Amino acid sequence: MNQPDFSLHHVALTCRNLEKQQQFYEKLGFNLQRRYSDAHCSIIHMLLGSFCLELFVFTENASPILEPKPLAQHLKQPGWQHIALKVSDLLAAREWFINEHGLIPSEIQQGRTGIQYFFIQDPEENYVEIIQA
């Protein structure tokens, strides 16, 4: 039997405030593709090129309580840790976050695999890695 032709469709992120998350990811170039809502949850799909980010908010989770996620320490926890977006000019992207959006990225670092990167956090402190590609 031949291996199925797998390809990435979406990554899902459950959040507490869908509107703030949507606004943040729109700043990164994601565009709203579709929206669904019922009494239990709201879901939006946002596209960046062909990459789909699915944002969920469940009625029982709509709360401002957040636990801090210290940079780099989050990588030691089992499970999905972040999404990574690539840019052609890492330094310019870092300056853009600082000057245009008032975000404070981590310093640019050289990863163990040779890739340069920095991290930012969305409004709910989820990590987004920005890499030089």
Side-chain angles (χ1 to χ4, degrees):
M1 176 183 261
N2 292 334
Q3 178 178 342
D5 58 341
F6 295 109
S7 62
L8 184 63
H9 182 266
H10 71 269
V11 172
L13 177 61
T14 299
C15 19
R16 297 183 187 283
N17 186 316
L18 197 60
E19 289 71 32
K20 280 187 180 179
Q21 292 292 79
Q22 179 182 346
Q23 291 169 4
F24 175 82
Y25 287 99
E26 284 173 343
K27 290 178 187 175
L28 300 182
F30 284 84
N31 294 303
L32 180 64
Q33 181 189 28
R34 71 175 56 111
R35 179 179 296 271
Y36 168 84
S37 191
D38 64 23
H40 304 286
C41 74
S42 294
I43 304 169
I44 61 173
H45 284 183
M46 300 187 77
L47 289 179
L48 181 65
S50 62
F51 173 67
C52 180
L53 179 62
E54 184 176 47
L55 299 177
F56 283 86
V57 67
F58 290 89
T59 306
E60 67 267 19
N61 291 344
S63 160
I65 299 169
L66 297 174
E67 303 233 353
K69 298 177 184 179
L71 182 61
Q73 296 304 309
H74 76 288
L75 293 173
K76 296 177 183 177
Q77 300 299 318
W80 297 97
Q81 301 303 324
H82 60 263
I83 62 170
L85 304 177
K86 62 183 178 180
V87 294
S88 59
D89 187 335
L90 195 62
L91 185 58
R94 189 173 185 283
E95 293 299 314
W96 180 79
F97 282 112
I98 294 167
N99 297 327
E100 299 295 323
H101 298 290
L103 295 174
I104 303 172
S106 69
E107 296 298 322
I108 293 175
Q109 298 178 36
Q110 181 79 31
R112 290 182 176 101
T113 60
I115 295 172
Q116 287 191 318
Y117 67 92
F118 65 84
F119 281 99
I120 57 169
Q121 288 180 285
D122 70 17
E124 296 188 6
E125 299 184 359
N126 298 297
Y127 285 104
V128 178
E129 182 180 24
I130 309 298
I131 67 168
Q132 177 88 33

